[in-house]
Amino acid sequence: MPLNTRSLQTTDTAGAATDGGLPAGEERAETAAEPPRGPTPPSESAGEAADPASGTTAEPEHDAVSVRGPADGDATAEASGPQSDGDPATGHAAEQRTEGDEGRAEGEPTEAAGAPTDGAADAPSDATAEDGAAAADGEAGTAHSERGASPEAGLPSAARPRRLRLRAWRTDHPVAARVLGITVTVLAGALVVASFLLPNRSDLRPTAFVRIPVEALIGAVVLTALPRRSRLVAAWLGGIALGVLTLLSLLDIGFYQYLGRGFNVILDWPLFSDAYSYLEDTLGGPGALGVLVVAVALALVVPAVSALATVRLSNVMARHRATTTRTVLVLSMVWMTCTALSLQISGIQLASDNTVTLLRARAENLRATIRDEREFGRTAQADAFGNTPGSQLVPDLRGKDMIFTFIESYGRSAVEDPIMAPGVDKTLDDSTQALAKAGFHAKSGWLTSATYGASSWLGHSTFMSGLWVNNQNRYRTVTASDHLTLTEAFKKTGAWNTVGVMPGVQKGWPEAKWYGLDKVYNAFQLGYKGPKFSWSTMPDQYTLEQFQKRVHGKKHDKPLTSFVILTSSHQPWAPIPKMVDWDQLGNGSIFDSIEKAGTEPADIIADSTRSKEEYGKSIQYSVTALTQWLERYGNDDTVLVFLGDHQPISRVSGNHASRDVPCAIVAKDPKVLDKIADWGWTDGLRPAHNAPVWKMSSFRDRFLTAYGSTPNPSKH
């Protein structure tokens, strides 16, 4: 029968139910039948548990017993003391009442007499899946008094189930349990809020994390309004999604650092294999494996921890719905006020919609990627010189040995940054004078690369094809087409042989056919027996010497068009080769002692200033090797075009650097440079700060036009 808050259903010795007041100080378990009478060993009594390991007997616990009243379906009477305030960390009676209310509000069935109440039924789930180590500890004592002594009560503490040991610890250390619970909850809240506010750039200012995320307010409203099971499902799924978004933001940070752009979830997955190869060359096999293990661990741990934190917060909010509702209402008003007044802190809006903005940007990026794939395929088919006969291509360069050379990571920062520029500019000026003494002259300008920090092949293909190849999908599309490259244009005339010297190629390279190269020398075909310099397979000086011996210096029936990639200035710029006597290069073993005495990558990789210094030295080395080679082996018919493929990573060039790279044309024949007099380029190897800046994709058509080629477009 229903009882009021002053009455309790009890049983007599015959097992019949009677109604009566609960005497002061007397404690009755809410059970269906009274246990057998008679003496009971201390370890089996309902109110205490003996611990053989310690030799002590625990005092009986006096917990609240939840019963149902006629007014609201739930009332709590205490057998031995005043009503508790329901602290969630200590598990007093008010918490059980709140959980019970929640269960009944959500349509859960009413417990029969002798069964645990809703609050007690939820306790194991809360303690394990919902609230973790800080769940209410008072439910253990209540369950004990309601069901009788547990069979494990007399076991040593080490032999008890983990759940009972945790409850016993919380009972014995209520203050520590409360502090631990509050700490874990605060950390969970901080993690969730930080995930919502995490920028996707490397500029992580502390003020970015003191804003109010509107996504958190919306999530709190949704989770608080849902019934228990739906709330748990939503919290788990939402937490995992938030963890995935956090991982994507971290990937964005890394990609902006190394590539100057965010992570593309459609196109960029193949780049991870290249990144791992780079780590192997830089850090060695064990170091690369360690980084891989950490990356995989983060990919698994971040969503899991985010989900656990979200579930914990959802449980806390559900237990304190009124407080949560008031807090969300106040913070929502503050958020709207900050938005309306555009209030900022250190230039950052206090009202944040960071996650929504990033999701919108990612969705647009996906649509743009899919749309770009279709449009670029049509663009690649159109070519201003696609149908030009070979006889009408570059007639003003007939008889010249053409050399197109890329210097790895040779960017504008090398020429203008206050740390790197003094050494690099001196090298460029000294080399200009040395070349002039040998009869060579140069003009130089700026080209804006299609890539930044890495992915050199995008810069190579952009320059050679005249198309803006700024992602991997475009690269696959253009290299599968018949779009004319500069080297292919020379080959098409029938007046040149073509060759590629690629010390960075260490596997199959089918793109050679698209470039129109008759022969390619890769890293294994240049006879090098010396040490690698981090990623670079061999020093540039050795590469150029082998180019001379195997290609340029040999007699040939036709002039050569050569495509040469120099790699010594590839990151991490440690160790760096040094120039040696050209006649002493041999098989490259002379570089053993130089490599051993060089700087270790780990010594500079996290130091921006040292990275800049070593990067500048690597550019000086590459420019010196190339210009000395030209002085030593160039002739009246040699024409050299050299440039950088992209800027170095932001640790060296800065977070807001341009994508410009220097480009120079060097020749002895004055007619060659006269053809580009109207370009406005600077005399010498060092372009002026205000020299013309073109997109790298515009160079091919300008170059072909300057040297007499006749446009004859191909159709879509």
Side-chain angles (χ1 to χ4, degrees):
M1 65 184 66
L3 305 178
N4 59 29
T5 58
R6 294 292 184 180
S7 64
L8 180 69
Q9 182 174 349
T10 62
T11 57
D12 59 15
T13 57
T18 61
D19 292 346
L22 183 65
E26 181 174 346
E27 195 174 40
R28 301 284 183 96
E30 188 183 22
T31 58
E34 183 177 4
R37 298 173 180 262
T40 304
S43 61
E44 297 177 4
S45 66
E48 58 185 30
D51 188 347
S54 61
T56 60
T57 301
E59 290 293 328
E61 296 178 11
H62 301 282
D63 292 314
V65 179
S66 297
V67 294
R68 308 261 170 108
D72 57 1
D74 190 14
T76 301
E78 293 205 13
S80 59
Q83 205 171 20
S84 170
D85 60 359
D87 183 73
T90 58
H92 290 302
E95 178 185 341
Q96 292 180 322
R97 185 175 62 255
T98 305
E99 289 290 331
D101 290 343
E102 176 190 345
R104 282 185 296 279
E106 294 158 1
E108 295 187 359
T110 304
E111 299 291 345
T117 63
D118 289 347
D122 284 345
S125 174
D126 289 346
T128 55
E130 298 181 10
D131 291 340
D137 59 288
E139 288 138 3
T142 303
H144 234 25
S145 63
E146 289 173 349
R147 300 182 182 88
S150 170
E152 295 90 349
L155 295 176
S157 59
R160 298 175 188 172
R162 179 176 176 271
R163 184 182 302 172
L164 294 181
R165 293 201 304 270
L166 288 175
R167 289 177 178 174
W169 180 85
R170 289 194 295 268
T171 301
D172 295 339
H173 306 86
V175 176
R178 178 178 175 80
V179 171
L180 178 60
I182 292 174
T183 301
V184 173
T185 301
V186 170
L187 290 177
L191 175 65
V192 170
V193 172
S195 298
F196 280 123
L197 295 175
L198 179 66
N200 68 337
R201 302 295 181 98
S202 57
D203 186 17
L204 299 178
R205 288 178 286 177
T207 52
F209 297 95
V210 296
R211 298 176 292 164
I212 303 174
V214 68
E215 302 86 356
L217 300 178
I218 296 173
V221 171
V222 172
L223 292 177
T224 305
L226 289 174
R228 180 178 179 276
R229 287 191 176 89
S230 299
R231 169 170 58 81
L232 287 177
V233 172
W236 277 107
L237 295 179
I240 292 173
L242 183 60
V244 171
L245 291 175
T246 300
L247 289 175
L248 290 176
S249 292
L250 293 175
L251 283 173
D252 279 347
I253 291 172
F255 269 68
Y256 275 111
Q257 177 74 15
Y258 283 90
L259 298 177
R261 61 174 178 81
F263 175 70
N264 189 305
V265 295
I266 295 180
L267 303 177
D268 287 338
W269 298 107
L271 296 181
F272 289 110
S273 62
D274 294 319
Y276 186 76
S277 298
Y278 165 71
L279 290 174
E280 282 187 311
D281 294 326
T282 303
L283 304 177
L289 182 60
V291 173
L292 177 62
V293 169
V294 171
V296 172
L298 280 175
L300 297 175
V301 169
V302 170
V305 172
S306 179
L308 289 171
T310 306
V311 169
R312 183 177 183 85
L313 290 179
S314 73
N315 293 330
V316 172
M317 291 187 296
R319 284 200 302 269
H320 304 282
R321 280 188 171 88
T323 302
T324 301
T325 302
R326 289 193 297 269
T327 303
V328 170
L329 179 61
V330 171
L331 290 177
S332 298
M333 295 179 64
V334 173
W335 188 92
M336 289 185 289
T337 301
C338 292
T339 301
L341 300 179
S342 297
L343 298 181
Q344 299 181 354
I345 177 171
S346 300
I348 300 178
Q349 293 283 347
L350 280 173
S352 168
D353 58 352
N354 179 66
T355 302
V356 173
T357 301
L358 291 179
L359 282 173
R360 188 184 301 117
R362 292 191 192 284
E364 176 56 34
N365 189 34
L366 290 176
R367 289 192 293 268
T369 298
I370 296 171
R371 184 171 59 250
D372 179 75
E373 183 176 359
R374 296 192 298 264
E375 294 176 353
F376 186 75
R378 294 192 295 269
T379 301
Q381 295 175 6
D383 190 340
F385 293 90
N387 289 332
T388 301
S391 60
Q392 298 178 20
L393 289 170
V394 289
D396 297 339
L397 291 173
R398 298 299 163 97
K400 303 298 183 184
D401 280 328
M402 295 297 307
I403 305 169
F404 294 96
T405 301
F406 282 89
I407 295 179
E408 172 66 36
S409 300
Y410 178 33
R412 185 167 191 149
S413 297
V415 181
E416 296 185 345
D417 184 88
I419 293 177
M420 302 171 288
V424 173
D425 289 352
K426 185 177 187 305
T427 297
L428 291 172
D429 293 341
D430 291 347
S431 297
T432 298
Q433 295 176 10
L435 287 173
K437 290 181 180 179
F440 289 92
H441 298 280
K443 286 185 177 294
S444 57
W446 303 107
L447 301 178
T448 301
S449 177
T451 186
Y452 170 95
S455 301
S456 302
W457 56 92
L458 301 182
H460 303 161
S461 54
T462 295
F463 179 82
M464 301 298 283
S465 70
L467 293 173
W468 190 251
V469 187
N470 63 339
N471 61 53
Q472 193 65 18
N473 189 63
R474 285 190 168 206
Y475 180 76
R476 289 193 295 264
T477 299
V478 70
T479 54
S481 72
D482 57 358
H483 199 88
L484 193 69
T485 63
L486 283 173
T487 43
E488 174 66 25
F490 281 93
K491 180 182 179 179
K492 188 176 180 180
T493 65
W496 278 272
N497 292 326
T498 57
V499 65
V501 180
M502 309 287 176
V505 173
Q506 303 179 60
K507 54 185 178 181
W509 194 54
E511 292 90 335
K513 180 179 180 182
W514 176 70
Y515 278 110
L517 302 175
D518 298 319
K519 169 71 175 176
V520 173
Y521 292 89
N522 64 25
F524 308 110
Q525 297 172 316
L526 296 173
Y528 183 66
K529 302 299 181 183
K532 291 181 67 174
F533 286 76
S534 292
W535 185 89
S536 179
T537 57
M538 63 192 71
D540 291 345
Q541 186 184 9
Y542 181 88
T543 299
L544 292 166
E545 179 67 15
Q546 291 301 307
F547 169 57
Q548 176 63 24
K549 289 182 176 180
R550 298 171 185 267
V551 181
H552 187 264
K554 284 189 173 182
K555 291 184 179 180
H556 32 266
D557 56 345
K558 297 178 182 179
L560 283 172
T561 296
S562 305
F563 187 29
V564 182
I565 309 295
L566 301 179
T567 62
S568 289
S569 52
H570 194 286
Q571 61 175 308
W573 312 296
I576 302 170
K578 297 182 183 298
M579 294 295 297
V580 300
D581 191 299
W582 287 86
D583 296 327
Q584 301 298 317
L585 284 169
N587 64 3
S589 58
I590 192 174
F591 291 102
D592 284 336
S593 58
I594 296 175
E595 191 273 338
K596 291 178 182 177
T599 304
E600 292 292 331
D603 294 338
I604 73 165
I605 200 167
D607 189 327
S608 177
T609 300
R610 288 206 64 191
S611 293
K612 288 185 176 186
E613 293 170 349
E614 298 304 308
Y615 162 75
K617 292 176 183 177
S618 72
I619 296 297
Q620 294 177 55
Y621 169 79
S622 295
V623 170
T624 299
L626 180 59
T627 54
Q628 283 192 13
W629 177 89
L630 187 58
E631 292 176 50
R632 185 179 177 90
Y633 299 116
N635 55 48
D636 292 346
D637 293 325
T638 303
V639 178
L640 171 67
V641 180
F642 78 94
L643 69 156
D645 45 18
H646 54 70
Q647 282 267 51
I649 61 175
S650 61
R651 186 174 75 248
V652 170
S653 60
N655 291 325
H656 306 290
S658 72
R659 298 192 174 201
D660 298 345
V661 299
C663 181
I665 299 179
V666 189
K668 270 190 177 181
D669 187 348
K671 295 179 181 178
V672 173
L673 297 183
D674 288 345
K675 294 291 183 179
I676 63 170
D678 61 344
W679 284 9
W681 281 21
T682 306
D683 291 333
L685 299 178
R686 178 161 62 100
H689 178 75
N690 59 351
V693 180
W694 304 336
K695 290 186 70 173
M696 188 178 280
S697 56
S698 70
F699 182 87
R700 189 206 70 159
D701 288 1
R702 289 177 181 267
F703 182 87
L704 293 175
T705 301
Y707 293 103
S709 303
T710 303
N712 192 346
S714 59
K715 298 180 180 179
H716 288 282

